[in-house]
Amino acid sequence: MDTVCAVPFPRRPTPDPDAAFNRRDWLKLGAAGAAGLVLVPSRAWAHPGNELRLPPLWAGGHLTTAPANLEIWPGTITPALAINGVSPGPTLRLRPGERLATTVVNQLAGENLVLHWHGLLAPAAFDGHPGQAVAPGQSYAVDIPIRQAPATCWYHAHTQGATASQVYRGLAGLLLIEDPDRDAALGLPTGDRDVPLVLRDWKSNTTSSLTYAPTMFEHMWGYLGNTMLVNGTPQAWFAVDQGVWRFRLLNACNARVLRLGFSDDRTFHVIGSDAGLTGLVEPVTAFDLAPGQRAEILVSFAGLPVGGAVVLRSLAFPIVAPLAGPAGPRQGDALDILTFHVDRAGGPTALPSSLPGPVLTDPAESRRTRTFNLGVVNATLTINGLTYDANRVDFSVPAGEVEIWEFVNGTTNYHPMHAHGAHFRVLTRNGVAAVLPADRGWRDTVLVYPSETVRVAVRFGGRAGLFVLHCHNLEHEHEMMQNFSVTTPTPPRLESRREGPDLVVSWPAPADGWGLETSADLRTWSAAATPPLRVGTRFEWRAAATGAARFYRLVLE
Ligand code: C2O
Ligand code: CU
Ligand code: CU
């Protein structure tokens, strides 16, 4: 077993030993100093590297993007871009039924900006289409009702022509849709045992900078770093007990595919993907997480002694190409991510044996199949032979529709394909039923491996408007992107019937995104108090019949 306290990268000389203290230790020292005691902070001394930082929680109000000097390496200033002064930005936590209401303020120096809420089924007006970017000095309001299951989502810059550069320099953060009561009832770790991990690579050995300056080669293959930051922490470590912990992983790298596993090959369990729980408690020793994708895992540190450690890594994997190219970081490089130090005994050991999962689209509901050929034409990356054109709408789809999409990768590179305004279910890889842990549940991003063909069943939300489909290798995004328009559908036909004392109003599934409203006078309408239930092929809404006249209608939520 490889359980040494690994020092993943050469330790940077710390000019002042006090700089090795983290903020928490300073606070402890301050308190002790006041009491006239001498207290030696232990943990910061005990482990090389830096204690894992946790992004601050958003307390409401504006989200302001601006240049900032961040202390990523203790004692060193790194110019970056920040949201409310930090990168990753503050974690937005919302519950189903709440609204994401904020104002996005662009205080960047000479750069346009728009933020996209990756994973949210947002109205098109607030989705963060690249064309919605505002000039420096401007701001815009966002108001998005959260009408989806708990999930690990994120937000990031999506500015026309600048997504890669702005995300690399720091404009990204987590957006968690949470239901702690549900999680507690399911026996899932919550609170301090539910730990977000924003994973990204950067080029740190030589410059410690977040400068974005890709070469021609990197424009094609991706801007890859040589070391990892976890929640903005280099050489990160995190102290755990021997129990079961839940980690929410986000691959926020511009281009790096992460093959996540542990230094001792321990088995852990994947329970969630992009849009929430998958319904599986799936044992793995490694799985791939592509840029843009999220996963939730349960890890037990049982079997490690107090004082032991284990390292979360991106494991090496072979690549098809490039066979030659500049020396430097490559796709498939092994990288250490985060060292877990077991510093105390005990902890809850129970793993849930089963978890509730989502009802996924039945591909038989689809009405058409679209093929997206991912290729290279004249050293430019293309979808169906075309690069992105902001003024071209590539296809239209009625809201609530189900379609089969087929991604055919004619290149030797990795393309994590992502759709806004829709979730999908991964069906097959090269014609064979998709069984990777990273294919489970509702997804919004699917990794298409070199030369592979992947089929997914896409369910479009109820929201009409313009959305994009693109490769989430951010160096590819500005070329491998298409606009699609979700068109307003006619509402499904309502039917009603009496069942004893009840009135049952129903309409055909799968039409998504419709909400039922009622009125007594056809003038004032209000949302039905209880949500409809899916019963077989229909949605049903039931209420006690009052005898008074009531009117019902479906509206797009
Ligand atoms: Cu996370 Cu359109 O992107
Ligand atoms: Cu997105
Ligand atoms: Cu790509």
Side-chain angles (χ1 to χ4, degrees):
M1 270 217 315
D2 179 8
T3 55
V4 273
C5 275
V7 185
F9 321 113
R11 179 90 202 276
R12 283 172 64 89
T14 307
D16 172 356
D18 285 349
F21 293 3
N22 59 31
R23 181 157 283 118
R24 197 187 298 170
D25 295 317
W26 277 118
L27 292 175
K28 270 192 250 160
L29 269 186
L37 295 170
V38 178
L39 225 183
V40 179
S42 54
R43 298 214 316 220
W45 288 113
H47 307 310
N50 303 293
E51 185 169 9
L52 179 71
R53 299 164 189 156
L54 291 174
L57 298 179
W58 178 61
H62 292 181
L63 291 173
T64 301
T65 56
N69 287 323
L70 302 180
E71 191 177 347
I72 295 175
W73 289 104
T76 304
I77 291 303
T78 301
L81 302 181
I83 302 149
N84 292 1
V86 291
S87 176
T91 299
L92 316 184
R93 296 167 82 186
L94 294 154
R95 297 191 178 205
E98 293 183 341
R99 306 182 83 89
L100 168 58
T102 185
T103 298
V104 176
V105 183
N106 177 4
Q107 286 180 0
L108 301 176
E111 300 181 49
N112 290 352
L113 172 92
V114 67
L115 293 181
H116 165 61
W117 321 96
H118 182 139
L120 279 199
L121 296 175
F126 304 125
D127 183 59
H129 186 282
Q132 292 168 337
V134 301
Q138 300 202 326
S139 60
Y140 64 94
V142 168
D143 184 8
I144 301 171
I146 307 295
R147 302 234 172 89
Q148 59 192 91
T152 304
C153 301
W154 62 305
Y155 62 98
H156 61 81
H158 214 307
T159 312
Q160 176 94 45
T163 303
S165 161
Q166 292 181 342
V167 171
Y168 188 82
R169 287 178 292 151
L171 295 185
L174 281 170
L175 193 169
L176 306 179
I177 306 174
E178 293 182 316
D179 185 347
D181 302 333
R182 178 204 72 169
D183 289 354
L186 293 174
L188 289 172
T190 56
D192 288 351
R193 306 188 72 86
D194 175 3
V195 185
L197 302 176
V198 178
L199 313 179
R200 63 158 295 178
D201 55 351
W202 70 325
K203 297 174 188 288
S204 78
N205 283 1
T206 48
T207 58
S208 288
S209 100
L210 284 174
T211 303
Y212 184 73
T215 60
M216 280 307 291
F217 184 86
E218 287 171 322
H219 269 301
M220 285 301 285
W221 291 96
Y223 199 56
L224 298 164
N226 57 348
T227 58
M228 296 295 295
L229 291 176
V230 187
N231 299 341
T233 322
Q235 292 185 15
W237 60 263
F238 184 66
V240 293
D241 60 22
Q242 296 165 318
V244 174
W245 292 71
R246 174 188 189 179
F247 299 99
R248 296 165 185 264
L249 308 166
L250 159 64
N251 183 337
C253 299
N254 272 35
R256 185 174 286 289
V257 174
L258 300 172
R259 180 159 294 176
L260 298 168
F262 287 86
S263 51
D264 61 0
D265 278 330
R266 69 181 39 236
T267 297
F268 56 102
H269 292 83
V270 182
I271 59 167
S273 66
D274 294 340
L277 297 180
T278 59
L280 296 171
V281 183
E282 199 167 10
V284 297
T285 53
F287 73 103
D288 288 353
L289 196 70
Q293 290 188 314
R294 289 85 67 210
E296 289 187 42
I297 61 172
L298 297 178
V299 183
S300 166
F301 296 99
L304 284 175
V306 172
V310 64
V311 182
L312 174 68
R313 290 189 164 146
S314 186
L315 309 174
F317 57 88
I319 52 172
V320 188
L323 298 174
R330 292 280 181 88
Q331 195 66 270
D333 286 344
L335 290 174
D336 285 355
I337 297 174
L338 174 60
T339 302
F340 294 96
H341 290 288
V342 178
D343 75 345
R344 52 202 192 274
T349 53
L351 266 183
S353 51
S354 70
L355 290 169
V359 179
L360 297 175
T361 305
D362 180 352
E365 286 174 2
S366 75
R367 292 205 216 164
R368 65 175 295 162
T369 299
R370 286 178 210 275
T371 300
F372 300 95
N373 288 301
L374 313 177
V376 190
V377 177
N378 299 329
T380 311
L381 290 153
T382 55
I383 298 179
N384 293 340
L386 300 171
T387 57
Y388 180 64
D389 179 342
N391 298 311
R392 187 184 70 224
V393 176
D394 294 276
F395 58 97
S396 303
V397 149
E401 192 82 1
V402 175
E403 293 192 344
I404 306 290
W405 284 2
E406 183 176 68
F407 299 108
V408 183
N409 188 348
T411 77
T412 49
N413 205 340
Y414 296 77
H415 301 293
M417 299 306 295
H418 168 56
H420 292 207
H423 286 154
F424 50 72
R425 166 188 185 178
V426 185
L427 299 173
T428 60
R429 292 185 175 275
N430 289 337
V432 179
V435 292
L436 300 179
D439 292 338
R440 308 297 197 187
W442 281 115
R443 301 222 65 116
D444 54 54
T445 308
V446 63
L447 178 57
V448 188
Y449 289 82
S451 307
E452 199 182 33
T453 294
V454 175
R455 282 169 82 93
V456 302
V458 194
R459 153 79 48 85
F460 297 88
R463 278 140 183 168
L466 195 65
F467 295 95
V468 285
L469 154 72
H470 62 85
C471 179
H472 221 288
N473 175 319
L474 295 182
E475 279 64 52
H476 300 175
E477 177 246 25
H478 65 290
E479 294 176 343
M480 298 183 103
M481 180 151 65
Q482 294 208 328
N483 280 309
F484 65 93
S485 161
V486 176
T487 55
T488 311
T490 22
R493 215 167 73 84
L494 280 177
E495 285 170 19
S496 64
R497 63 174 193 274
R498 291 292 294 267
E499 261 182 31
D502 288 350
L503 176 74
V504 179
V505 179
S506 77
W507 61 95
D512 247 5
W514 294 96
L516 186 68
E517 289 189 343
T518 80
S519 172
D521 56 8
L522 288 175
R523 272 190 295 274
T524 342
W525 293 87
S526 52
T530 51
L533 289 178
R534 177 144 178 182
V535 181
T537 60
R538 301 183 68 80
F539 284 109
E540 288 196 352
W541 182 84
R542 178 181 295 263
T546 58
R550 280 316 270 185
F551 302 97
Y552 298 89
R553 70 176 184 192
L554 288 172
V555 290
L556 274 181
E557 292 184 319

